[in-house]
Amino acid sequence: MWIENWLANRKQRVGINGSFSEWQAVTSGVPQDSVLGSQLFTIYINDLDEGIECNISKFADDTKLGGSGSCEEDARRLQGDLDRLSEWENAWQMQYNVDKCEVIHFGGKNRKADYYLNGGTLGKGEMQRDLGVMVHQLLKVDMQVQQVVKKANDMLAFIAKGFEYRSREVLLQLYLVRQYLEYCVQFWSPNLRKDIIAIGGVQRRFTRLIPGMPGLSYEERLDRLGLYLLEFRRLRGDLIETYKILKGLDRLDAGRLFPMLGKSRTRGHSLRIEGKSFRTKMRKTFFTQRVVNLCNSLPQKLVEASSLAIFKRELDVALVARGIRGMERRQVRDTELDD
């Protein structure tokens, strides 16, 4: 009843330079920028996926519908779901912004059919932003790399110009730049050398800002600052995310992402996984493929860690002991330009 009283009998008006319009009754929606607003909106659209046959992903006011499109039956199924979404819209008076809706076709066998929403043809796009990640129809990550490198470099420029006192301790505390380089990186992790160098160049520039570091090689700067190569951090992050999925710490279908090997296997640990067959080099670089050999080679004691904190600590010891960090550094040193 409290929520009903909060939402009912509301009015609003527009004010510009001291002049105001007449009050108008608010017949739907929730007050913006309120504590309850986002939660009430989530409740409102909770039944949006009822009767939907294909995959649907709901996040606030950004909903995505996806499915196979390799045959005419697939296209009919997707169009049927779009029609059901239109019926929901009419029933609950939540109008879609059709002009902002796009279709992205993935795969060479895609029929690239036309789809309609509310009688209008949906436009076709090559790329779409999904929760801050640029998703290209060819699954290329170069645009995502360019975006994060630009943001990170802008932040570095702000730090370099905005802070007069730049001691080692202060700058290391300000090293928030790395959050741009590692946000959702398990999804878009670069595999082309040019992209790896572009991302690594951000950290190289940051280490040169710290007093006493210019004149040293990149490897020496990392050792003195206690930092790791970004390639090593991505590899470590892949294994941590795999552990979280297999242990049920993330709400993902572990069996679908990482099919377990049969119980008759006598070698390896209890969380051995197997990759799916692939025909392209791009599939080989996907998260679910690139972690298979690394995960399966981990010792039994490590994968049976009782907590995520213990797993991280033991993982660092195992990776350094096996020389993976050194291997990564030699890789980059052989290919990147020197200072």
Side-chain angles (χ1 to χ4, degrees):
M1 291 179 62
W2 186 90
I3 293 177
E4 181 180 357
N5 291 332
W6 180 57
L7 294 177
N9 302 320
R10 291 188 296 115
K11 294 183 179 181
Q12 64 183 17
R13 64 177 179 174
V14 178
I16 301 177
N17 297 329
S19 299
F20 297 90
S21 66
E22 297 294 329
W23 287 100
Q24 297 292 327
V26 179
T27 59
S28 64
V30 294
Q32 295 186 8
D33 300 324
S34 60
V35 176
L36 281 177
S38 57
Q39 184 65 34
L40 291 176
F41 182 81
T42 301
I43 296 174
Y44 189 80
I45 66 170
N46 187 55
D47 62 342
L48 182 65
D49 54 353
E50 289 187 2
I52 299 298
E53 298 183 22
C54 298
N55 298 322
I56 188 170
S57 175
K58 299 179 295 182
F59 184 82
D61 60 346
D62 188 6
T63 298
K64 291 179 173 60
L65 179 71
S68 176
S70 57
C71 64
E72 187 175 348
E73 179 61 27
D74 292 336
R76 281 200 298 267
R77 187 180 299 109
L78 278 168
Q79 184 58 55
D81 284 344
L82 288 172
D83 294 339
R84 279 183 279 274
L85 291 178
S86 296
E87 294 172 359
W88 184 93
E89 171 193 24
N90 295 329
W92 294 105
Q93 302 178 19
M94 178 69 71
Q95 186 176 2
Y96 302 133
N97 192 335
V98 180
D99 294 336
K100 290 186 177 181
C101 298
E102 282 189 336
V103 178
I104 299 183
H105 298 291
F106 297 96
K109 296 183 179 180
N110 197 304
R111 294 185 67 252
K112 296 181 172 56
D114 292 326
Y115 297 96
Y116 307 90
L117 184 63
N118 289 340
T121 304
L122 295 178
K124 299 179 181 179
E126 294 183 353
M127 185 167 54
Q128 185 64 251
R129 184 191 301 273
D130 188 12
L131 301 182
V133 178
M134 307 298 292
V135 182
H136 194 273
Q137 65 177 0
L138 298 179
L139 300 181
K140 296 180 178 180
V141 300
D142 52 342
M143 292 298 295
Q144 175 70 14
V145 170
Q146 294 175 21
Q147 174 185 252
V148 299
V149 168
K150 182 180 183 306
K151 286 184 177 181
N153 283 330
D154 290 344
M155 180 62 73
L156 280 185
F158 173 77
I159 293 174
K161 297 179 181 179
F163 291 86
E164 182 176 356
Y165 182 72
R166 293 182 291 178
S167 68
R168 168 176 171 169
E169 293 74 16
V170 170
L171 288 180
L172 287 177
Q173 289 293 328
L174 292 173
Y175 190 29
L176 304 177
V177 176
R178 199 162 54 192
Q179 66 181 352
Y180 297 115
L181 307 178
E182 297 181 347
Y183 172 72
C184 291
V185 73
Q186 275 69 46
F187 179 78
W188 58 269
S189 182
N191 59 86
L192 297 179
R193 180 53 53 180
K194 66 180 183 66
D195 294 332
I196 295 175
I197 293 176
I199 292 179
V202 176
Q203 183 163 271
R204 295 171 70 93
R205 283 186 286 275
F206 170 78
T207 57
R208 287 199 294 267
L209 292 177
I210 299 177
M213 295 297 109
L216 300 178
S217 68
Y218 182 42
E219 186 171 331
E220 290 173 332
R221 295 199 298 268
L222 292 179
D223 287 334
R224 294 195 180 187
L225 296 174
L227 299 176
Y228 297 102
L229 279 174
L230 295 179
E231 285 181 276
F232 172 79
R233 287 183 57 84
R234 288 194 293 270
L235 180 148
R236 177 179 181 270
D238 284 348
L239 291 174
I240 292 174
E241 186 62 31
T242 304
Y243 174 85
K244 291 165 65 177
I245 293 173
L246 296 178
K247 290 291 188 177
L249 301 180
D250 280 350
R251 296 173 58 186
L252 295 173
D253 187 349
R256 182 178 178 184
L257 291 175
F258 301 111
M260 298 295 178
L261 295 182
K263 295 183 179 180
S264 60
R265 303 281 298 195
T266 58
R267 292 186 177 183
H269 53 71
S270 58
L271 293 182
R272 284 180 61 88
I273 57 179
E274 61 177 343
K276 299 179 181 179
S277 59
F278 57 88
R279 291 174 295 177
T280 64
K281 292 183 179 180
M282 181 169 291
R283 168 68 71 172
K284 182 180 179 180
T285 63
F286 282 9
F287 170 70
T288 52
Q289 295 291 142
R290 66 175 183 262
V291 299
V292 171
N293 291 335
L294 279 171
C295 180
N296 291 342
S297 65
L298 295 178
Q300 180 76 19
K301 177 183 177 181
L302 180 56
V303 299
E304 290 183 349
S306 58
S307 68
L308 181 60
I310 295 176
F311 177 81
K312 290 180 179 179
R313 183 173 66 247
E314 296 297 327
L315 177 64
D316 290 340
V317 174
L319 292 179
V320 173
R322 292 167 58 177
I324 290 183
R325 187 178 71 172
M327 176 191 68
E328 294 292 336
R329 289 189 175 182
R330 287 193 297 273
Q331 249 184 349
V332 174
R333 184 178 59 194
D334 293 340
T335 53
E336 286 190 10
L337 297 177
D338 198 5
D339 292 332

